[in-house]
Amino acid sequence: MIRLLALSLAAALLTSAAPVRPPRIVSINPCIDAVLVRVADPAQIAGISHYSQDPRATSIPLGIANRFHATSGTAEEVVALRPDMVLTGPHTEPATVAALKRLHITLVQYKVPESVAESITQVRDIAAAVRHPERSAALAARIAAAATPSRATPVSALIWQSGGLVPGSGTLPDELLRRGGFRNMSAAYGLKKWDVLPLEYLIAKPPRVLLSTAAAETGEDRVTSHPAVRRLAQHIAVAPYPIRLMNCGGPTIIDAMARLRQVRSGFAA
C-alpha cells in the first residue's frame, strides 16, 4: 500500500512538472496577425487571415505572411486547422463563434484599440495568450518609441478616406496625428468620432495637409481632382497615406508614425 502511494505521488509530481504545450493558434484578424507573428513560435501558428497576404492590406512583410496558411475565417476552414485557440477582432461570424463553442475551442476577441496605450496593452495580452509574455517587451518598447510626441508646432491636417470618411477625436489615427506634429481639423468641422465630411466644408476651410488614402492607392483621388481643390493648391498639400495604416494598432503604429513624421518634415518646425 505504501509503495502504491509512493508511485502515485511520483507520477503526480512528474505530471505537474511536465511542460505545458503552447497552444496551437489560428488568427482570423490581420491586425492580430501582425502581433502574433512577432510573439508566437511559428510552429504555434496554424493559420492567419488572408488579408495579411494582400499587399494592399497587410501589416506584415509579405515574405513572412506567405510562410503561413491563410484562411478567410469561415467556421469550416478554422475548425479544419484543429486550433486550441482562435484570436480575432470584435466582429466574428456567428456561425464561426457557434462552431468554436460547440467544439470547446477557446475564442479570444480583441477590440480595435483607440490609443497607443491600448495598443501596447493588447500586444501584452496577445503575448500572454500564446504563453510567451516575455516577448511583448521589445515590441511594446518599439511602439512607444515610435509614438514619442513631436515638439514641433502642430500643422493643421485631415485624414481623408473614401467617401469623405474622417477619423476624429477619440480614435487612434487622431492620437497619431497629434504625436506626429499635426492638429486634426476634424473638430473644427464639428465632426464626430468617425464622420463624413462634405467636400464643400473642406473647400471652405481647408487644412494645411490632406492625408489621402485614395491618393496612396491610385496616385490621385476625387478630392484632389476637383477644380475648386486644385485652386487651393497653394494653400493645401496632399500627401498619400496608405489605408493599411488606418486599420490597426500594434506594430502598424511604427509604420504610421514613420509616414506622419516624413510628411511633417516637409514643413517648417
Side-chain angles (χ1 to χ4, degrees):
M1 183 68 176
I2 294 175
R3 185 168 180 271
L4 285 174
L5 288 173
L7 287 173
S8 298
L9 180 59
L13 289 173
L14 286 172
T15 300
S16 64
V20 178
R21 177 179 65 83
R24 180 176 168 84
I25 307 291
V26 169
S27 167
I28 54 178
N29 180 282
C31 299
I32 294 171
D33 292 348
V35 178
L36 186 64
V37 299
R38 289 167 170 85
V39 299
D41 291 331
Q44 284 184 261
I45 304 174
I48 61 174
S49 165
H50 67 101
Y51 289 112
S52 289
Q53 294 181 349
D54 181 343
R56 298 166 300 177
T58 186
S59 296
I60 307 171
L62 285 176
I64 295 176
N66 289 335
R67 297 174 190 171
F68 301 99
H69 180 83
T71 83
S72 61
T74 65
E76 294 79 7
E77 289 178 285
V78 172
V79 169
L81 294 173
R82 301 173 64 85
D84 300 307
M85 182 182 297
V86 174
L87 307 182
T88 185
H91 307 294
T92 306
E93 288 292 333
T96 301
V97 174
L100 297 177
K101 286 183 177 179
R102 187 169 61 252
L103 295 171
H104 304 290
I105 297 172
T106 301
L107 174 66
V108 183
Q109 293 180 275
Y110 296 94
K111 71 172 190 174
V112 178
E114 297 181 341
S115 68
V116 172
E118 283 186 14
S119 295
I120 290 174
T121 296
Q122 194 170 94
V123 165
R124 291 175 175 148
D125 288 347
I126 293 172
V130 302
R131 296 183 189 161
H132 294 294
E134 74 286 353
R135 295 181 185 174
S136 66
L139 180 55
R142 286 185 61 206
I143 294 170
T148 300
S150 169
R151 295 183 179 181
T153 301
V155 171
S156 63
L158 198 69
I159 299 178
W160 181 279
Q161 298 182 86
S162 177
L165 185 63
V166 172
S169 178
T171 64
L172 179 59
D174 174 70
E175 180 178 350
L176 298 187
L177 279 173
R178 287 186 281 107
R179 288 173 178 263
F182 295 98
R183 174 172 55 85
N184 191 356
M185 282 282 286
S186 172
Y189 302 111
L191 299 182
K192 300 175 183 177
K193 197 171 186 177
W194 287 95
D195 213 341
V196 174
L197 177 66
L199 184 57
E200 294 75 15
Y201 285 63
L202 177 68
I203 294 169
K205 191 174 185 178
R208 184 69 185 88
V209 180
L210 186 71
L211 294 149
S212 168
T213 60
E217 293 290 320
T218 65
E220 64 177 359
D221 64 15
R222 184 177 67 87
V223 178
T224 55
S225 63
H226 193 283
V229 177
R230 285 180 176 175
R231 289 194 293 271
L232 292 171
Q234 59 181 330
H235 304 294
I236 185 171
V238 177
Y241 194 71
I243 187 66
R244 69 176 187 82
L245 301 181
M246 292 294 299
N247 300 327
C248 301
T252 304
I253 291 173
I254 299 169
D255 294 338
M257 288 301 302
R259 177 56 182 152
L260 291 172
R261 294 191 196 283
Q262 181 185 44
V263 174
R264 181 63 183 79
S265 68
F267 299 86

